[in-house]
Amino acid sequence: MAMAIRVFLSFLLFLSLTNLASSLYEDQVGLMDWHQQYIGKVKHAVFHTQKTGRKRVLVSTEENVVASLDLRHGEIFWRHVLGTNDVVDGIDIALGKYVITLSSDGSILRAWNLPDGQMVWESSLQGSKESKSILNIPKNLKADKDDLILVFGKGCLHAISGIDGEVLWRKDFASESIEVSHIIQSPEVIYVAGFVGSSKFYVYEVNAKSGELLKNNHVALPFATSGESLSVSGDKFVVLDDVRSKIVTIDINNGNINYNQKQVSDLIKDSSGQAVILPSKLPGLFALKINSQVLLIKVTNEGELVALDQIDNTAAFSNALSISEDQHVFAFVQYEDNKIQLSVKDVNDWNGALLKENLVIDHQRGNIEKIFINNYVRTDRSHGFRALMVMEDHSLLLVQQGEIVWSREDGLASVVDVTTSELPVEKEGVSVAKVEQNLFEWLKGHVLKLKGTLMIASAEEKIAIQKLRLRSSEKSKMTRDHNGFRKLLIVLTRAGKVFALHTGDGRIVWSTTLHALRKSEDCEHPVGLNIYQWQVPHHHALDENPSLLVIGRCGPSVTAPTVISFLDAYTGKELNSLSLAHTVARVIPLPYTDSTEQRLHLIIDVNKHAYLYPRTPEAIEILKREFSNIYWYSVETDNGVIRGHALKSNCIHEIVDEYCFVFRDLWSIVFPSESEKIIATVTRKSNEVVHTQAKVMTDHDVMYKYISKNILFVANAAPKASGEIGTATPEEATLVIYIIDTVTGRILHRMTHHGCQGPVHAVFSENWVVYHYFNLRAHRHEMSVIEVYDQSRADNKDIWKFVLGKHNLTSPISSYYRPEISAKSQSYFFTHSVKAIEVTSTAKGITSKQLLIGTIGDQVLALDKRFLDPRRTLNPSQAEKEEGIIPLTDSLPIISQSYITHSLKVEGLRGIVTVPAKLESTSLVFAYGVDLFFTQIAPSRTYDSLTEDFSYALLLLTIVALVAALFVTYVLSERKDLEEKWR
Amino acid sequence: MTLLRSILTVTLLLTFFFTLSPAFQSDELLLDDEEFGLEGGRPQTRPSSPNTAATTTTTTTRKRIPDSASDSKIQFTLEHAFGDSDFSEAGNFSARLKTWSHGAQTLTKLRFSRDAFTEDEKNKFQELLKRDDFYRIRLPSNVLSPPGRDYIVSSVKARCLPGDGLEEHFVIHTESVNILAVNYGAPGACPFPRQLKLPAKWSFKSHTLLKNTEQAPRTPIFTEELIGGEGIEGELVQPIERSFWAKYWMYMIPLGLIVMNAVTQAANMPEEQAGGQAGAPPQQGTAVQRGTNSGVRRR
């Protein structure tokens, strides 16, 4: 019998070990997961349409992406994501075959092959001083000539060969204290121009062949300037003075520098607002913006300023585009009550417009921020123009013939926060088709499908049919499913736009630009901050839609004014929005809801006030009841102090506000500033479910997990070693980690890793924390685990105590108990550096956990928690093996099959979110960065459901066959019986 | 033989000597310890508190003191506040500050003397008990230059403290001369909901504990072979070691079933056959009798 049990157990062990390497087959890719590629908000765009089969546009973005897009469909031909510190400063095409990018403050110059995006060469440019970086590539149509690429960066002018990236010469301007803003190239001489201080304009002449300084010249203006000068033509510059009332024209003709000045008020009658020169490069022209008007001013050859036109409600100006030898055109966009007008005009011929088109753009996209134009030859041999528009929500549109040819939702490259929402319940008797579409659409769909089956559908119709099929397929329905796989992922982007993505196929269900977070005079740089579930109706209240709380701020600083907005989670409609009178330093969702299921939130401002939302008397009642049970903490990273707080009383203001509270400090932890600096803090997820408190050890001993919601993990590094890896010696570096109770401020556990340093990435779940750091002594990354057990409950082992009710397991736990903690810890080497760590979460917390590690290669690795078990020993006993303890190894294995992103990369990975499905075994994983990736994972296999490829037909067939066999054998046996009796 | 014996005795003696010598050393250190007063003992150098009702149980972390370490005595004050009132002095901590040869400093031998509550403070404390409010304490964050960067504050619900008398428990986390945090509270349980209970005696029973940081366990480093044989492959090799039964159970069970089936059939068969054979001779008989009996049977 014992043998049988052992065999059975070892069989179980074998099964569980096979689970460790769960992965999918090649044909399963894309069944559960989806992957979307984005590029981010476009900064620069260069078209490449001449003499090429594939028309493309090359863009660089604020997410540091260099990409080549198909101009016909907007798809990505190729894309390179440079690192977060490698900001792209300029992009251009050289020699007609290379894309040249300048990045990292003008210190790295790269050439990419235009068709396929392979890197051709890379040059690292040296320099001593931080400065503006300028990329100057001569526009020369003769590709065979070796043109110089001129780069100004880090205070130096570099001349680089376009063929191999060799630096031919460099001229250091660091000693001249000049703020170089222009480089003008002529065949023999290069002019380098810029301001020294704010009033001296210097021009240096440099030999184009050798980099020799030929001469310099300067002019001292009798007043200070605003600093931002614009080159109007090869030898003329315009700049505003520091009070922005005068326009100064500087002419550097033939080495002599002259200047003219003109009052702004001479050009425009109403010059009360602040004038700004728009940075559009137009030959002989410049645009001056005053209030909402734009004044186009022509600079004549003599340096005179002539006002050409005044344009109202302008949104954006493009740079000039040369369409023939002497014809330069530019485009601008105007708003005319709800309509958008795109105009293309010749620089020299102001009165005639080459193009005037009206556009309709969804107002959810906000204003047009940038416009780039490109020309093509129409069928009637006239000039046609297409425009690439960057919108306020970071999306990218291509407009041609007054229509949007394609659009890209590149706001999704900058996801800030993610939450989820359940889908509506499928109503009985109403087909999904009717909920989603009207009758005509429904009929059309059926006609399309009929065509498809009769094989008379065209290629486009086939695509439409495919789309319809996808939409009606099980996984992309707009209703709640039994397993809870279908949900809405609600993401907030940095632009303040909210998208709802369907987990089935990743399509955008709705998107809303928050009205309060639109760019306006009061709100210069709106950013989205956080998104929370505001109202989650109980599953009986089916007619109510859940709602969301979105928090945004008008600017990067904490003191900027804040707006909050409430959205309907099913439709994206903005229910309400408030401009707050106070700032937002922190938002605390409280574990209480009112009678309409609205969650109570406390918003803490910078002036130490707490505000309660929703502002209803009922919410106040609930808060009053729980007044003394609300605790929170704040981390002052710069100061090295952690404080605990509790509510005290109502605010004392002139105006009585009963939703405003002051709070007091209950505890504080002050880290010694000379030896410790806070580098990471992590808490448990507030909605995490823990299945069992007890853990049965191999020797039938019981350990009780120390499970508290109010627990904080803090990692401190020595101040010397808080920089990059390699800047500190192992002797200087220490990493101290703390586990702190946030109600009483008790340090539950404290541990020092000598010779280790950050960056620390950590995840806290149940009673354990896993963190990742760098070990300088071993020259490797390490991951450590700490498991915290409660010793005060450890003596509840005797069964008689349970029978007689003498245990203390049901007594309420208070943080004011003196905790008896035992912590177990172990460290392992880990090969990768890490960008994010998460842990899977399931509905009931029964399923074993996996760590999801976002690696430096932008992939997500699923690592079983059992590898990070502090009880792993070198030679586990038979009993321990049966429990699933893996023999101790010094490094954590990286099994290539356990990458949940399989062959894909989530470029620029920033975060991983896990959401439990309703099915216990399954967890939904959403990874975001520049790309988005979603999949379902089952850490212990789908033990509670049949797999997708389970053959129900076979099962049915077997049952039918069995029943038939039963019947046949019954009849046969009856007959035989009868025969027997007759014998 | 005698040579061997003598070697044995020598080694025995040597081992005895070697085992004895560290014990001897530790004895010396204990003597050294005694100079400062034994752990838990009533300190002689305690400043006389106005009310001697306060008993102090002092627990210190024991440290080995090398000869090169020098030490000095320092004091720092405990301050308390009732609810949101201002802080006032409530007691005195004294400790030894050891300066090690390599420059590091550690605090050891913490002792605490608690000032007893004045009448006014008693009233305030009773007020706290009634309101279920916080009793707050604070310590300087640096013991050499108090208060250091900031005070270390800790608080507890006043209702947690009264036991027989007033009981409190301090765990002071230190890092050289800095105090990081103090865990302050009742030494045992403080069940929720907290009941209003006035202390029988207005004297404090204080427990103090100094805590320094722990060393994290070192990452195990194995030889290359072990690193090479990665965990998972090691796991997968294991099934080879399984027993015959474990390997072939899937064949064995059906086989067993078949055998069992056969056995039961075989067990049934003799009966049937016996019955059949038993019935056979009469059949032969009936064949003869059939003609005669048929009329009876058809009745």
Side-chain angles (χ1 to χ4, degrees), chain A residues 833-870:
Chain A
S833 58
V834 158
K835 286 187 166 180
I837 303 190
E838 248 302 23
V839 66
T840 56
S841 58
T842 52
K844 301 273 189 298
I846 301 167
T847 309
S848 68
K849 305 236 172 206
Q850 274 183 344
L851 292 167
L852 302 173
I853 299 166
T855 62
I856 195 74
D858 293 322
Q859 291 197 305
V860 181
L861 177 76
L863 183 71
D864 211 286
K865 166 67 178 61
R866 278 187 291 161
F867 285 111
L868 281 150
D869 188 334

XYZ file of all heavy atoms in Angstrom, chain A residues 833-870:
282
model
N 19.383 41.356 -16.828
C 18.903 42.513 -16.081
C 17.424 42.670 -16.429
O 16.953 42.162 -17.432
C 19.710 43.757 -16.403
O 19.664 44.030 -17.757
N 16.732 43.368 -15.554
C 15.282 43.275 -15.550
C 14.677 44.662 -15.726
O 15.234 45.651 -15.261
C 14.849 42.614 -14.220
C 13.436 42.929 -13.874
C 15.037 41.113 -14.286
N 13.569 44.732 -16.444
C 12.875 46.010 -16.591
C 11.631 46.077 -15.715
O 11.210 47.162 -15.335
C 12.464 46.218 -18.048
C 13.623 46.561 -18.952
C 13.124 46.908 -20.334
C 14.226 47.565 -21.133
N 13.752 47.894 -22.479
N 11.006 44.957 -15.452
C 9.802 44.952 -14.616
C 9.604 43.538 -14.082
O 10.007 42.575 -14.726
C 8.587 45.359 -15.442
N 9.023 43.440 -12.895
C 8.664 42.119 -12.358
C 7.209 42.166 -11.925
O 6.767 43.146 -11.315
C 9.520 41.708 -11.137
C 11.001 41.718 -11.453
C 9.141 40.318 -10.668
C 11.851 41.105 -10.370
N 6.482 41.139 -12.245
C 5.113 41.010 -11.769
C 4.904 39.558 -11.353
O 5.757 38.711 -11.591
C 4.124 41.388 -12.882
C 3.337 42.657 -12.650
C 2.518 42.672 -11.375
O 2.786 41.967 -10.406
O 1.572 43.444 -11.342
N 3.762 39.323 -10.734
C 3.441 37.963 -10.350
C 2.030 37.683 -10.863
O 1.205 38.588 -10.947
C 3.574 37.774 -8.828
C 2.555 38.588 -8.071
C 3.487 36.325 -8.434
N 1.791 36.433 -11.249
C 0.461 36.105 -11.757
C -0.546 36.187 -10.617
O -0.218 35.916 -9.459
C 0.428 34.679 -12.330
O 0.869 33.794 -11.310
C 1.323 34.553 -13.520
N -1.760 36.564 -10.934
C -2.799 36.577 -9.911
C -4.005 35.840 -10.456
O -4.364 36.002 -11.618
C -3.163 38.015 -9.544
O -3.591 38.711 -10.677
N -4.580 35.000 -9.625
C -5.737 34.236 -10.067
C -6.915 34.539 -9.153
O -6.750 35.145 -8.093
C -5.443 32.726 -10.063
O -4.927 32.384 -8.791
C -4.431 32.373 -11.113
N -8.099 34.095 -9.574
C -9.339 34.504 -8.918
C -9.379 34.119 -7.442
O -9.798 34.905 -6.598
C -10.523 33.906 -9.668
N -8.929 32.904 -7.113
C -9.035 32.449 -5.730
C -7.676 32.276 -5.070
O -7.584 31.916 -3.913
C -9.771 31.093 -5.678
C -11.162 31.116 -6.259
C -12.179 31.538 -5.213
C -13.593 31.363 -5.714
N -13.885 32.205 -6.896
N -6.630 32.448 -5.829
C -5.279 32.333 -5.277
C -4.836 30.908 -4.997
O -3.897 30.698 -4.251
N -5.527 29.922 -5.588
C -5.161 28.523 -5.336
C -4.004 28.108 -6.235
O -3.061 27.471 -5.792
C -6.374 27.591 -5.581
C -7.523 27.988 -4.655
C -5.995 26.143 -5.394
C -8.828 27.350 -5.020
N -4.089 28.531 -7.489
C -3.092 28.139 -8.473
C -1.709 28.620 -8.041
O -1.585 29.710 -7.493
C -3.455 28.770 -9.822
O -4.805 28.476 -10.089
C -2.605 28.240 -10.927
N -0.695 27.812 -8.295
C 0.658 28.218 -7.933
C 1.055 29.439 -8.762
O 0.490 29.691 -9.822
C 1.623 27.072 -8.166
O 1.721 26.829 -9.546
N 2.020 30.169 -8.241
C 2.330 31.465 -8.845
C 3.528 31.379 -9.765
O 4.409 30.541 -9.581
C 2.638 32.475 -7.747
C 1.526 32.582 -6.744
C 1.045 33.989 -6.610
C -0.173 34.001 -5.756
N -1.049 35.076 -5.983
N 3.536 32.261 -10.735
C 4.699 32.429 -11.583
C 5.115 33.884 -11.531
O 4.271 34.775 -11.462
C 4.363 32.059 -13.031
C 4.510 30.584 -13.310
C 4.253 30.254 -14.755
O 3.689 31.030 -15.504
N 4.681 29.073 -15.161
N 6.416 34.097 -11.574
C 6.917 35.458 -11.668
C 7.015 35.804 -13.140
O 7.487 34.993 -13.932
C 8.301 35.556 -11.038
C 8.345 35.363 -9.544
C 9.772 35.158 -9.118
C 7.780 36.573 -8.848
N 6.561 36.993 -13.495
C 6.678 37.438 -14.870
C 7.771 38.486 -14.900
O 7.656 39.537 -14.273
C 5.360 38.022 -15.351
C 4.195 37.051 -15.261
C 2.905 37.747 -15.585
C 4.411 35.892 -16.197
N 8.837 38.182 -15.594
C 10.005 39.039 -15.567
C 10.166 39.671 -16.938
O 10.308 38.971 -17.942
C 11.251 38.230 -15.176
C 11.043 37.637 -13.787
C 12.494 39.090 -15.209
C 12.017 36.572 -13.419
N 10.096 40.979 -16.979
C 10.339 41.701 -18.220
C 11.843 41.851 -18.375
O 12.477 42.574 -17.632
N 12.419 41.140 -19.312
C 13.877 41.111 -19.421
C 14.371 42.304 -20.219
O 13.599 43.030 -20.839
C 14.348 39.823 -20.112
O 13.811 39.827 -21.426
C 13.874 38.606 -19.378
N 15.679 42.458 -20.232
C 16.305 43.582 -20.932
C 16.077 43.442 -22.434
O 16.069 44.418 -23.159
C 17.797 43.650 -20.563
C 18.384 44.994 -20.972
C 18.594 42.513 -21.186
C 17.975 46.110 -20.095
N 15.842 42.232 -22.886
C 15.560 42.011 -24.301
C 14.110 42.257 -24.650
O 13.649 41.815 -25.692
N 13.372 42.927 -23.763
C 11.975 43.282 -24.000
C 11.084 42.061 -24.188
O 10.161 42.065 -24.985
C 11.829 44.224 -25.199
C 12.446 45.574 -24.919
O 12.317 46.038 -23.788
O 13.052 46.151 -25.826
N 11.398 40.990 -23.486
C 10.525 39.829 -23.526
C 10.013 39.571 -22.120
O 10.559 40.108 -21.150
C 11.287 38.618 -24.028
C 11.647 38.752 -25.483
C 12.022 37.442 -26.089
O 12.900 36.764 -25.600
N 11.351 37.076 -27.152
N 8.990 38.771 -22.008
C 8.444 38.457 -20.697
C 8.695 36.977 -20.418
O 8.275 36.114 -21.175
C 6.939 38.773 -20.620
C 6.415 38.452 -19.244
C 6.689 40.229 -20.941
N 9.412 36.733 -19.338
C 9.776 35.374 -18.964
C 8.908 34.960 -17.790
O 8.777 35.702 -16.825
C 11.259 35.343 -18.563
C 11.816 34.022 -18.074
C 12.044 33.102 -19.249
C 13.121 34.234 -17.340
N 8.318 33.782 -17.875
C 7.545 33.259 -16.753
C 8.426 32.297 -15.976
O 8.898 31.306 -16.511
C 6.299 32.549 -17.268
N 8.680 32.633 -14.727
C 9.556 31.810 -13.892
C 8.724 31.309 -12.726
O 8.086 32.096 -12.030
C 10.723 32.657 -13.391
C 11.778 31.944 -12.569
C 12.590 31.020 -13.461
C 12.709 32.942 -11.923
N 8.732 29.994 -12.537
C 7.923 29.428 -11.476
C 8.420 29.913 -10.116
O 9.613 29.997 -9.872
C 8.019 27.905 -11.537
C 6.740 27.271 -11.063
O 6.496 27.287 -9.848
O 5.995 26.794 -11.917
N 7.484 30.247 -9.239
C 7.857 30.722 -7.912
C 8.646 29.661 -7.146
O 9.438 29.978 -6.257
C 6.583 31.125 -7.161
C 6.698 31.339 -5.666
C 7.547 32.536 -5.313
C 7.612 32.774 -3.825
N 8.192 31.696 -3.057
N 8.450 28.389 -7.503
C 9.135 27.320 -6.780
C 10.652 27.398 -6.930
O 11.388 26.863 -6.126
C 8.632 25.960 -7.259
C 7.324 25.586 -6.580
C 6.947 24.192 -6.926
N 6.585 24.111 -8.336
C 6.556 22.972 -9.008
N 6.880 21.863 -8.430
N 6.194 22.962 -10.277
N 11.115 28.048 -7.999
C 12.558 28.232 -8.122
C 13.057 29.223 -7.085
O 14.220 29.238 -6.740
C 12.911 28.718 -9.526
C 12.836 27.650 -10.555
C 11.857 27.668 -11.525
C 13.738 26.611 -10.535
C 11.773 26.673 -12.464
C 13.671 25.608 -11.480
C 12.689 25.629 -12.447
N 12.182 30.090 -6.634
C 12.563 31.075 -5.632
C 11.925 30.694 -4.303
O 11.149 31.445 -3.736
C 12.110 32.463 -6.084
C 13.041 33.090 -7.116
C 12.288 33.991 -8.030
C 14.153 33.837 -6.420
N 12.220 29.488 -3.852
C 11.711 29.014 -2.579
C 12.890 28.969 -1.613
O 13.894 28.326 -1.897
C 11.122 27.601 -2.790
C 10.403 27.112 -1.558
O 10.761 27.574 -0.465
O 9.497 26.269 -1.692
N 12.818 29.675 -0.482
C 13.966 29.670 0.426
C 14.240 28.307 1.044
O 15.269 28.118 1.676
C 13.584 30.697 1.485
C 12.145 30.885 1.364
C 11.764 30.564 -0.031
